[in-house]
Amino acid sequence: MSDPLDLRLLPRTATVDSAGRLAIDGVDLDALAREHGTPLYVYSETELRARAAEYRDAFGPDAVSYAGKAFLCGAMARLVADEGLHLDVATGGELQLALHVGFPAARIVFHGNNKSDAELLLALERGVGRIVADSFDELDRIDALVSARATAPARVLVRVTPGVEAHTHEYIATGADDSKFGFTVSNGSARDAALRVVKSEAMHFAGFHCHIGSQILVLESFARAAAVVAGLAADVVRATDVPVPEINLGGGLGIPYTADELDAPTIAEFGRETRANFADACATFALDPVPALTVEAGRSIAGPAGVTLYTVGTIKQIPGVRTYVAVDGGMSDNPRPATYGATYEAALPARVTAS
């Protein structure tokens, strides 16, 4: 537990009154806990919208998808639509939710390395904007479904694993050659997959997608990924004389969870460096026309906008060793600490400071 908790780790509207009561967006957190019980997720709409706007400013109005796996419910999907972002969904359930609340299908990017035929068919029939394909098996099934159901050709982003070290925990690093996601660049699979899509009458080649991991605090990792994918794109253009419309560099920008991470890159820095590095990579490989650069932001929009409220229960003191403080939460509401050792700052509302 921080002593005291730095207010900069909370949503920007967080305030503490003279009695030590913490509020977000003007709403008293103690009152919320009493009304709704704990554990309780609390999100700042102000922070969510502000971060969506920062991403629009950093990358352009049509270049950002919100990754629903970070936090998704009906209200969040509607907020993403209001803010003009695209929506990245990774399961059939997330896709159904988005469609149920009226999110424009053309602005949905459908992920997942194990999509069922039913999920793919729903995406095809509803006109989902891009399907991110992870395997030759998936390409086979898209081909078969489009042919059997006479749907419009699928717009396919070929997901590639660029072999880039993301400087993050091994459990959330997804860009290495040994990954369940995507086609490997180094062994030629990614090139073969792109050629397969280009030649297919059931698919429209929308470009490439890569995602090198999560909670990334070293921006150089994105530069290396951009160089690998740009080189692949140039190879495919030479082989097919078909331009690459889009390169999606995924997401994964890290955020501060603890006071010693407060120097994490900002959204503006991420945008500035990534756009510059992407432009350099495209120039190096003489890509003309230059593909559109897109990204997917999840944690870096939702994470800093939320807090979780708990109630302290049992307190066990072991003299000379430590004190255990039990709360009414666990892996059901936050599996990250147990899964890969993630750390957080915790505090009582009266122990928050702006300094």
Side-chain angles (χ1 to χ4, degrees):
M1 179 178 290
S2 176
D3 187 24
L5 177 67
D6 194 310
L7 199 65
R8 291 174 295 173
L9 291 169
L10 298 175
R12 65 193 72 190
T13 61
T15 58
V16 182
D17 66 16
S18 58
R21 298 176 71 87
L22 177 62
I24 292 176
D25 285 9
V27 180
D28 181 85
L29 297 190
D30 186 58
L32 282 179
R34 290 198 310 272
E35 179 180 356
H36 298 286
T38 56
L40 179 66
Y41 298 131
V42 178
Y43 280 91
S44 163
E45 181 178 348
T46 301
E47 186 74 27
L48 290 168
R49 292 189 182 277
R51 288 184 165 269
E54 288 173 25
Y55 262 104
R56 289 199 310 272
D57 292 343
F59 287 96
D62 201 39
V64 181
S65 295
Y66 170 70
K69 63 187 175 185
F71 166 62
L72 189 63
C73 63
M76 187 64 195
R78 286 188 286 267
L79 184 148
V80 172
D82 289 346
E83 293 299 323
L85 305 186
H86 295 244
L87 178 62
D88 158 15
V89 299
T91 68
E94 290 180 353
L95 176 57
Q96 289 276 17
L97 185 151
L99 295 172
H100 176 72
V101 301
F103 196 95
R107 286 166 51 195
I108 294 176
V109 183
F110 188 22
H111 277 273
N113 69 308
N114 188 33
K115 305 178 191 73
S116 68
D117 284 356
E119 290 169 336
L120 286 171
L121 185 58
L122 175 65
L124 292 167
E125 290 179 339
R126 297 297 292 271
V128 161
R130 275 99 85 210
I131 296 175
V132 181
D134 272 72
S135 64
F136 288 107
D137 172 77
E138 185 174 350
L139 296 181
D140 289 342
R141 291 187 293 118
I142 292 173
D143 252 332
L145 287 168
V146 171
S147 300
R149 300 302 181 101
T151 67
R155 297 191 69 244
V156 171
L157 286 170
V158 175
R159 178 164 180 173
V160 304
T161 49
V164 169
E165 167 58 52
H167 301 288
T168 189
H169 194 282
E170 62 177 321
Y171 291 178
I172 50 176
T174 58
D177 284 349
D178 182 9
S179 173
K180 67 181 180 181
F181 299 107
F183 299 90
T184 304
V185 174
S186 62
N187 67 8
S189 295
R191 182 182 189 275
D192 292 343
L195 298 185
R196 163 77 186 279
V197 174
V198 168
K199 294 175 183 177
S200 171
E201 295 183 358
M203 291 178 278
H204 173 74
F205 179 54
F208 290 107
H209 179 285
C210 77
H211 179 71
I212 57 175
S214 299
Q215 189 56 10
I216 299 169
L217 301 173
V218 180
L219 296 181
E220 181 189 358
S221 301
F222 294 103
R224 293 201 302 275
V228 171
V229 182
L232 171 64
D235 186 13
V236 169
V237 171
R238 286 192 298 270
T240 65
D241 200 29
V242 172
V244 176
E246 174 184 350
I247 291 178
N248 187 320
L249 290 181
L253 177 65
I255 61 172
Y257 286 96
T258 61
D260 59 2
E261 295 174 333
L262 281 168
D263 61 349
T266 66
I267 294 170
E269 290 168 341
F270 176 45
R272 196 160 49 244
E273 291 198 28
T274 301
R275 285 189 292 107
N277 291 326
F278 180 77
D280 288 346
C282 290
T284 297
F285 292 99
L287 281 172
D288 184 21
V290 174
L293 168 64
T294 57
V295 295
E296 291 163 352
R299 174 199 312 266
S300 52
I301 289 179
V307 298
T308 308
L309 306 182
Y310 297 102
T311 299
V312 173
T314 300
I315 299 176
K316 177 183 178 180
Q317 295 180 331
I318 305 177
V321 181
R322 75 177 77 227
T323 298
Y324 287 93
V325 178
V327 299
D328 57 349
M331 287 193 68
S332 60
D333 48 90
N334 188 359
R336 296 181 69 247
T339 304
Y340 47 88
T343 57
Y344 290 82
E345 298 276 11
L348 300 172
R351 303 180 73 84
V352 179
T353 179
S355 61

